[in-house]
Amino acid sequence: MKKVIFLAAIFAAPMAMACPDLAGNYSCVIDGQPKRTIVSQAELGGVMNYRIDQEDADSIELIADGMDHDASRWMDGLDQAVYNASCDGDARLMINANGIIMNEGQPMGKLQVLIAASRDGAGNLAQNVTGMITGDFGSFPVDEQNLVCARE
């Protein structure tokens, strides 16, 4: 029994450490306005947790465990909004989010978004956002966005 616990501890530690260090203070330009953004992270129970605090917005907490979590607080206008986050080694935080697009209380399609967050060579927070909208009207890609938040 002690060997099993010892082996679990050995294998659990590297898994928790295989996430990117994104913690820091950044300046992000959103809708043409600079927004101070603070990213903090902590390992809780062997799983990396990220918290994003931004001016004039609710905090976003992300659990990088590859499981589905409620995203309704930060995915406005969507019903049944969920996300799952995981780490691509220590290089990128991958966030897959989706939900039902509502129009006057009626579902009209589904939005699926993939966000890859990492640090660039200068220590800035780089995010690549892609997505797809699907419904009875067909499928349409969301315009790819690349956002770089300058490290303060």
Side-chain angles (χ1 to χ4, degrees), residues 89-134:
D90 63 356
R92 295 183 300 177
L93 173 65
M94 305 298 293
I95 305 157
N96 188 349
N98 64 73
I100 306 297
I101 302 167
M102 303 299 287
N103 184 21
E104 297 180 5
Q106 297 297 314
M108 63 174 276
K110 183 175 183 174
L111 171 67
Q112 183 165 7
V113 176
L114 178 63
I115 303 166
S118 62
R119 283 229 184 136
D120 66 13
N124 300 316
L125 179 63
Q127 301 165 73
N128 174 265
V129 182
T130 57
M132 184 70 68
I133 297 174
T134 57

Side-chain angles (χ1 to χ4, degrees), residues 25-93:
N25 297 332
Y26 304 94
S27 177
C28 302
V29 178
I30 299 173
D31 296 328
Q33 299 295 317
K35 301 280 184 181
R36 181 154 197 232
T37 303
I38 301 169
V39 177
S40 55
Q41 65 188 78
E43 181 186 327
L44 301 172
V47 176
M48 191 60 71
N49 287 251
Y50 293 88
R51 180 182 170 114
I52 299 116
D53 291 293
Q54 191 169 72
E55 287 181 66
D56 306 325
D58 290 336
S59 296
I60 296 173
E61 296 185 12
L62 300 169
I63 304 167
D65 63 358
M67 307 286 290
D68 285 346
H69 297 277
D70 179 43
S72 58
R73 275 191 46 237
W74 52 274
M75 291 186 72
D76 295 335
L78 296 179
D79 194 32
Q80 302 173 27
V82 297
Y83 81 90
N84 69 57
S86 59
C87 298
D88 182 10
D90 63 356
R92 295 183 300 177
L93 173 65

Side-chain angles (χ1 to χ4, degrees), residues 11 21 143:
F11 288 114
D21 177 8
D143 289 339

